[in-house]
């Protein structure tokens, strides 16, 4: 059996070692060094070069190195019947929830304002905020959205979530689809985007969305850069409709050096690190997907290509 690492891999040797720890006999090649196209059974992909995946006649599965699969589905020439698998992993989920907690608390406990005061040598307490009165809205109640929703609830925040299909959750106020979008937004003091990037969600963080939020709301985008209309964010910050944003993902990554976000006092930037895949943690599920695909067995965490996630 041969697995091909295809696309952007910071340290392919770490992946090879993690995977071979679980299956020493697995042959692993790193694109573009492919001995024989017909030998490739499985592809592990992140931002692969377009038009390459269709060249492997005996491919049985395509696996994303992350939770998202938009980077695979952007290829217009994917072979039609090959299953696509994404990762669902506790270490990814914990990292993501830690990141969002940090961003929520940075806003809620006014750390950015205190940092400014520190730079001016100002000793001045700001009015405290009541956690129970702070509503955090989560766009997307999937694996990641649900985890952070529950953790924020445990900390005493008022939490609401928005999804495509109905959800019934004990302590989370759930809103459904386009018809409940505006009422979902109406009370979100903090809005967190954890949606997959699909034709329906691209550009969802736009002026209309911002204007439906309470004045001075705070945005956390940890999903994909293309969810955000960047110009609309700058305008919303200028008008005071939004008071700040914490962004981990961008339309263009790395964020270009001359981008206005870098120097904006109310934007916090991180380089797409909210949750980074740890090869040793996910190797068992990748091996499992490869082995099951060889035997034609049912795979876990497959993507529904027609809905885009
Ligand atoms: P899931 O597929 O588990 O959850 C997606 C959620 O979004 C579901 O609740 C789904 O609704 C909802 N959704 C999808 N489309 C719509 C729509 N049109 N309207 C309303 N709700 C919608 O994904 P994960 O939670 O695992 O991951 C979410 C995203 O996070 C990934 O796709 C990826 O882009 C991003 N990510 C970013 C990382 C980073 O480091 N910045 C790391 C990991 C992931 P329903 O439940 O009804 O299907
Ligand atoms: C992912 C990511 O999708 O890291 O896992 O963005």
């Amino acid at each position: 059996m041969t697995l091909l690492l295809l696309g952007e891999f910071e340290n392919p040797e770490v992946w090879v070692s993690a995977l071979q720890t679980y299956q020493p006999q697995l042959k692993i090649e790193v694109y573009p060094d492919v001995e024989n196209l017909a030998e490739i059974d499985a592809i592990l992909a992140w931002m692969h070069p377009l038009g390459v995946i269709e060249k492997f006649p005996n491919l049985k599965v395509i696996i994303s190195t992350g939770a998202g699969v938009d980077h695979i589905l952007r290829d217009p020439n994917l072979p039609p019947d090959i299953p696509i698998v994404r990762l669902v992993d506790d270490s990814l989920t914990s990292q993501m929830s830690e990141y969002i907690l940090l961003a929520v608390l940075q806003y809620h406990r006014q750390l950015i304002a205190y940092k400014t005061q520190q730079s001016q040598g100002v000793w001045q307490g700001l009015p405290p905020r009541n956690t129970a009165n702070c509503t955090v809205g989560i766009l997307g109640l999937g694996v990641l959205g649900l985890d952070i929703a529950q953790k924020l609830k445990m900390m005493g925040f008022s939490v609401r979530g928005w999804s495509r299909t109905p959800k019934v959750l004990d302590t989370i106020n759930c809103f459904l689809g386009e018809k409940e979008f505006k009422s979902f937004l109406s009370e979100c003091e903090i809005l967190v985007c954890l949606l997959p990037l699909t034709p329906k969600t691209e550009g969802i963080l736009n002026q209309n969305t911002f204007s439906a939020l309470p004045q001075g709301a705070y945005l956390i985008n940890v999903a994909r850069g293309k969810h955000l209309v960047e110009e609309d964010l700058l305008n919303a910050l200028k008008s005071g409709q939004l008071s700040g944003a914490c962004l981990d993902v961008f339309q263009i990554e790395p964020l270009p050096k001359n981008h206005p976000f870098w120097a904006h006092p109310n934007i916090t930037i991180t380089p797409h690190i909210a949750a980074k895949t740890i090869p040793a943690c996910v190797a068992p599920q990748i091996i499992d997907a490869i082995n099951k695909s060889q035997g034609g067995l049912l795979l876990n965490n497959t993507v529904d290509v027609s809905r885009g996630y």
Side-chain angles (χ1 to χ4, degrees):
M1 256 187 322
T2 306
L3 168 70
L4 179 67
L5 307 192
L6 178 64
E8 295 174 8
F9 285 79
E10 274 168 27
N11 293 305
E13 62 288 350
V14 176
W15 280 97
V16 172
S17 146
L19 291 161
Q20 287 180 339
T21 301
Y22 288 90
Q23 191 145 310
Q25 71 278 22
L26 179 68
K27 181 170 170 191
I28 304 179
E29 296 187 334
V30 182
Y31 188 83
D33 297 326
V34 183
E35 272 173 27
N36 177 357
L37 298 181
E39 257 184 26
I40 302 297
D41 300 289
I43 285 178
L44 184 60
W46 184 262
M47 294 299 291
H48 67 278
L50 299 182
V52 172
I53 291 187
E54 62 179 334
K55 293 188 177 151
F56 302 96
N58 294 315
L59 188 64
K60 291 170 198 69
V61 64
I62 304 166
I63 305 163
S64 167
T65 61
V69 288
D70 49 296
H71 61 99
I72 295 175
L73 298 179
R74 85 199 146 100
D75 188 334
N77 298 316
L78 288 177
D81 299 321
I82 308 296
I84 300 173
V85 167
R86 75 188 192 101
L87 300 182
V88 172
D89 172 61
D90 286 349
S91 78
L92 265 183
T93 307
S94 311
Q95 287 181 64
M96 182 56 90
S97 290
E98 286 158 14
Y99 182 99
I100 296 167
L101 276 178
L102 195 64
V104 165
L105 292 176
Q106 164 176 274
Y107 167 76
H108 181 59
R109 296 307 310 262
Q110 307 173 84
L111 275 192
I112 296 172
Y114 284 120
K115 201 78 196 154
T116 308
Q117 290 193 178
Q118 182 182 339
S119 70
Q120 298 158 351
V122 174
W123 178 275
Q124 174 67 59
L126 300 167
R129 293 173 166 163
N130 183 357
T131 308
N133 291 344
C134 178
T135 299
V136 185
I138 318 284
L139 292 167
L141 282 175
V143 173
L144 302 177
L146 201 51
D147 190 70
I148 185 59
Q150 285 161 341
K151 286 174 177 163
L152 286 165
K153 189 70 207 174
M154 264 166 49
M155 293 189 64
F157 287 92
S158 160
V159 183
R160 50 177 57 195
W162 185 71
S163 58
R164 195 181 56 87
T165 58
K167 307 267 180 273
V168 182
L169 301 169
D170 269 357
T171 54
I172 317 283
N173 205 350
C174 297
F175 293 75
L176 177 65
E178 279 168 33
K179 68 179 192 314
E180 292 181 5
F181 190 51
K182 286 271 161 79
S183 55
F184 161 78
L185 294 171
S186 65
E187 289 184 23
C188 298
E189 197 180 323
I190 303 175
L191 181 68
V192 180
C193 182
L194 266 176
L195 292 165
L197 182 67
T198 70
K200 285 229 152 57
T201 66
E202 182 164 348
I204 193 167
L205 303 174
N206 59 34
Q207 196 216 323
N208 286 340
T209 299
F210 300 149
S211 60
L213 294 167
Q215 171 102 20
Y218 189 78
L219 172 70
I220 300 171
N221 186 18
V222 278
R224 286 291 181 261
K226 286 191 173 152
H227 286 125
L228 175 65
V229 180
E230 295 184 340
E231 193 62 33
D232 289 3
L233 172 62
L234 290 170
N235 290 334
L237 290 170
K238 197 166 177 188
S239 72
Q241 180 56 27
L242 292 186
S243 62
C246 176
L247 307 174
D248 183 54
V249 286
F250 303 89
Q251 292 267 353
I252 300 173
E253 296 179 6
L255 187 65
K257 285 265 182 278
N258 60 353
H259 197 286
F261 285 176
W262 280 115
H264 200 293
N266 298 333
I267 296 180
T268 300
I269 288 171
T270 51
H272 200 144
I273 48 72
K276 283 199 84 168
T277 304
I278 300 172
C281 295
V282 298
Q285 64 180 286
I286 293 172
I287 297 292
D288 181 66
I290 297 170
N291 289 339
K292 283 186 174 150
S293 70
Q294 282 293 113
L297 302 174
L298 209 59
L299 302 174
N300 297 327
N301 305 319
T302 48
V303 171
D304 179 342
V305 175
S306 66
R307 66 177 196 185
Y309 68 102

